[in-house]
């Protein structure tokens, strides 16, 4: 009966990445389009659009990618099935309801809180249950990161509802730097392995436990100080992090990555994160345009998550990850162009600040729109190898 039920289940509902990567890709384009319209004053609304933009790119776009990735990765870690079918669909519906309610205004904040909490709490439950069942304790740390996102989102809504004065700020930035921490952890695990398995030569990329431990400790110090205190510790830790990650980038570099968009996309995004640390230091001595370092982190997150969605979607639909769609190079290049206009150009030509941001927004919208156009058929079709998933 179970096999028969699985065979009748729509392909779209068979694995977490299908529903949530589709939601993330389409949502990212639409959320950025809305931000463009708000930013350019084409549409005027009563709520704080800057908080809306930050919240939706973190708890809307990024969380959809993270949950979709973890629901899929947990199956590999534990060899147990994660949620599919209608429970999975309910996550997607809750995610969508939360996105729609936010743009309907402040009167619907409480209902958005309920929808967002449903998404986060049940995502946490669906991801950690198989980890506990399989006694896969090395990956249980994921539980605490998801719990942090949940607490941060509650803080945001308590701020929006007027219960905590700086709740929105705290919720956004605690979640934002938790995302960066998660990305850095993922980079450490995946970039060297992907490069070693993809390049034509037999290589073993260099790293050290000292770099691993020091980067982790320093990032915790950096994040706590920049969120809560904003002392010189922020710049000192950022400088040390820039040095550490520069050494790592040097150790992991191989000229063959430029032939593989799924490699150079991750590597370039890592460079954007590293540049964000350097920009944080520079901003202490030379006042840079507002949120330049933040957007260096943010566009890096966009490029890394887009790279991972592209790779995971290929592998988990039975396709060859070593032969991705040729358009990926164009898509990733558009996000690099968005980075150039939003981060680099505004530093040197600040008089065109607003125009450059609009151009960056357009590049982002087109990049994710192309991703959805190319990958949607993979999300809605069965695996090409006939397996369930």
């Amino acid at each position: 009966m179970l096999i028969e039920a699985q065979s009748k289940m729509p392909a779209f509902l068979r694995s977490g990445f299908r529903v949530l990567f589709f939601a993330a890709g389409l949502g990212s384009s639409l959320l950025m389009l809305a931000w463009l319209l708000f930013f350019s004053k084409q549409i005027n609304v009563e709520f704080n659009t800057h908080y809306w933009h930050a919240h939706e790119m973190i708890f809307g776009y990024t969380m959809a990618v993270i949950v979709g990735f973890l629901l899929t990765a947990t199956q590999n870690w534990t060899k147990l099935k994660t949620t599919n079918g209608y429970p999975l669909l309910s996550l997607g519906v809750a995610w969508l309801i939360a996105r729609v309610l936010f743009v309907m205004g402040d009167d619907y904040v409480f209902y958005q809180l309920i929808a967002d909490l449903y998404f986060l709490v049940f995502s946490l439950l669906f991801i950690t249950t198989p980890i506990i069942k399989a006694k896969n304790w090395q990956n249980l740390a994921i539980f605490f990161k998801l719990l942090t996102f949940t607490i941060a989102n509650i803080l945001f809504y308590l701020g929006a509802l007027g219960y905590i004065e700086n709740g929105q700020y705290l919720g956004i930035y605690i979640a934002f730097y938790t995302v960066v921490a998660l990305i850095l952890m993922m980079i450490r695990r995946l970039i060297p392995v992907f490069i070693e398995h993809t390049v034509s030569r037999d290589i073993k990329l260099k790293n050290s436990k000292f770099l691993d431990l020091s980067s982790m400790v320093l990032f915790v110090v950096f994040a706590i100080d920049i969120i809560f205190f904003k002392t010189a510790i922020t710049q000192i830790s950022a400088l040390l992090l820039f040095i550490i990650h520069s050494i790592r980038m040097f150790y992991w570099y191989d000229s063959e990555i430029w032939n593989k968009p799924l490699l150079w996309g991750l590597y370039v995004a890592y460079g954007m994160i590293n540049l964000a640390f350097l920009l944080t230091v520079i901003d202490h001595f030379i006042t840079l345009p507002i949120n330049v370092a933040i957007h260096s982190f943010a566009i890096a997150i966009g490029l890394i998550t887009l790279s991972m969605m592209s790779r995971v979607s290929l592998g988990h639909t039975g396709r060859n990850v070593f032969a991705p769609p040729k358009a990926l190079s164009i898509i990733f290049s558009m996000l690099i162009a968005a980075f150039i206009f939003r981060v680099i150009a505004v530093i040197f030509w600040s008089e065109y600040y607003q125009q450059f941001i609009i151009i960056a927004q357009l590049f982002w919208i087109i990049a994710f729109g192309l991703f959805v156009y190319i990958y949607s058929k993979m999300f809605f079709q069965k695996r090409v190898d006939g397996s369930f998933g």
Side-chain angles (χ1 to χ4, degrees):
M1 290 294 292
L2 177 61
I3 295 174
E4 183 180 351
Q6 287 182 341
S7 66
K8 292 181 179 179
M9 185 183 295
F12 185 61
L13 301 180
R14 292 186 175 192
S15 188
F17 78 91
R18 294 176 178 271
V19 173
L20 293 172
F21 286 2
F22 178 72
L26 187 60
S28 182
S29 280
L30 295 177
L31 290 168
M32 190 61 73
L33 176 60
W35 173 231
L36 187 157
L37 295 173
F38 296 153
F39 180 81
S40 61
K41 306 298 183 184
Q42 299 300 308
I43 296 178
N44 293 311
V45 291
E46 295 180 0
F47 56 83
N48 185 317
T49 56
H50 288 84
Y51 275 149
W52 169 85
H53 171 57
H55 181 273
E56 292 302 274
M57 295 313 292
I58 297 168
F59 293 103
Y61 166 69
T62 307
M63 283 310 302
V65 179
I66 289 172
V67 173
F69 174 80
L70 290 175
L71 283 172
T72 308
T74 300
Q75 294 185 142
N76 292 342
W77 299 336
T78 65
K79 309 305 178 186
L80 297 174
K81 286 289 183 186
T82 51
T83 191
N84 53 42
Y86 290 118
L88 173 60
L89 181 61
S90 75
L91 288 183
V93 171
W95 180 92
L96 178 61
I97 289 172
R99 311 288 68 80
V100 172
L101 287 176
F102 207 142
V103 295
M104 292 177 66
D106 293 340
D107 293 340
Y108 295 88
V109 171
F110 177 76
Y111 302 104
Q112 188 196 5
L113 165 63
I114 299 302
D116 251 354
L117 280 184
Y118 179 95
F119 175 76
L120 286 169
V121 170
F122 279 92
S123 294
L124 189 153
L125 180 66
F126 293 150
I127 290 166
T128 55
T129 297
I131 290 176
I132 293 170
K133 281 184 178 180
K135 299 181 180 180
N136 185 241
W137 307 124
Q138 68 267 31
N139 287 306
L140 193 59
I142 294 297
F143 168 84
F144 297 102
K145 287 186 170 62
L146 292 174
L147 184 62
T148 301
F149 288 125
T150 305
I151 294 170
N153 211 12
I154 292 171
L155 279 174
F156 176 88
Y157 283 114
L158 289 176
L161 291 166
Y163 294 112
I164 298 179
E165 184 177 351
N166 60 343
Q168 289 175 289
Y169 168 85
L170 289 175
I172 285 169
Y173 282 99
I174 289 171
F176 181 77
Y177 287 109
T178 302
V179 171
V180 177
L182 190 60
I183 292 292
L184 288 172
M185 182 184 76
M186 185 183 75
I187 281 172
R188 172 62 188 93
R189 288 187 180 188
L190 299 182
I191 286 184
V193 173
F194 286 172
I195 292 175
E196 288 169 356
H197 290 175
T198 304
V199 299
S200 59
R201 304 184 318 282
D202 184 16
I203 59 172
K204 184 66 177 177
L205 298 179
K206 187 177 178 181
N207 200 60
S208 74
K209 290 183 178 179
F210 173 76
L211 289 179
D212 289 343
L213 181 61
S214 56
S215 63
M216 180 179 67
V217 172
L218 281 168
F219 184 80
V220 171
V221 171
F222 167 80
I224 290 173
D225 195 72
I226 200 170
I227 294 170
F228 296 102
F229 305 110
K230 293 183 172 63
T231 69
I233 292 173
T234 292
Q235 284 72 41
I236 295 168
S237 56
L239 178 59
L240 293 172
L241 284 163
F242 172 73
I243 294 169
I244 287 169
H245 290 293
S246 295
I247 294 170
R248 263 193 184 167
M249 291 188 71
F250 175 76
Y251 284 163
W252 293 350
Y253 179 76
D254 189 283
S255 60
E256 286 192 37
I257 65 172
W258 303 112
N259 301 321
K260 309 287 183 180
L262 289 175
L263 291 183
W264 66 252
L266 291 173
Y267 192 84
V268 170
Y270 189 17
M272 293 177 184
I273 287 179
N274 204 25
L275 180 62
F277 291 126
L278 181 60
L279 290 172
T280 302
V281 177
I282 293 172
D283 193 43
H284 180 72
F285 300 98
I286 303 171
T287 302
L288 299 176
I290 188 169
N291 291 333
V292 165
I294 288 291
H295 281 86
S296 190
F297 281 127
I299 298 175
I301 292 169
L303 182 53
I304 285 174
T305 50
L306 188 55
S307 298
M308 289 308 303
M309 285 195 293
S310 301
R311 186 183 186 97
V312 169
S313 299
L314 290 171
H316 287 271
T317 56
R319 292 171 171 84
N320 185 2
V321 297
F322 299 109
K326 293 181 179 179
L328 278 186
S329 293
I330 297 172
I331 293 172
F332 295 165
S333 296
M334 285 186 174
L335 283 190
I336 293 172
F339 173 84
I340 290 170
F341 280 100
R342 181 59 186 88
V343 176
I344 305 300
V346 297
I347 294 175
F348 295 100
W349 299 281
S350 58
E351 64 271 25
Y352 300 109
Y353 180 83
Q354 182 156 342
Q355 294 91 326
F356 286 154
I357 290 179
I358 290 172
I359 293 170
Q361 291 166 335
L362 289 170
F363 274 118
W364 182 285
I365 291 165
I366 295 170
F368 280 91
L370 282 174
F371 168 78
V372 173
Y373 175 75
I374 293 169
Y375 275 80
S376 285
K377 64 179 182 181
M378 301 183 198
F379 301 142
F380 286 92
Q381 293 175 354
K382 295 179 181 179
R383 286 180 60 112
V384 295
D385 59 8
S387 299
F388 181 87

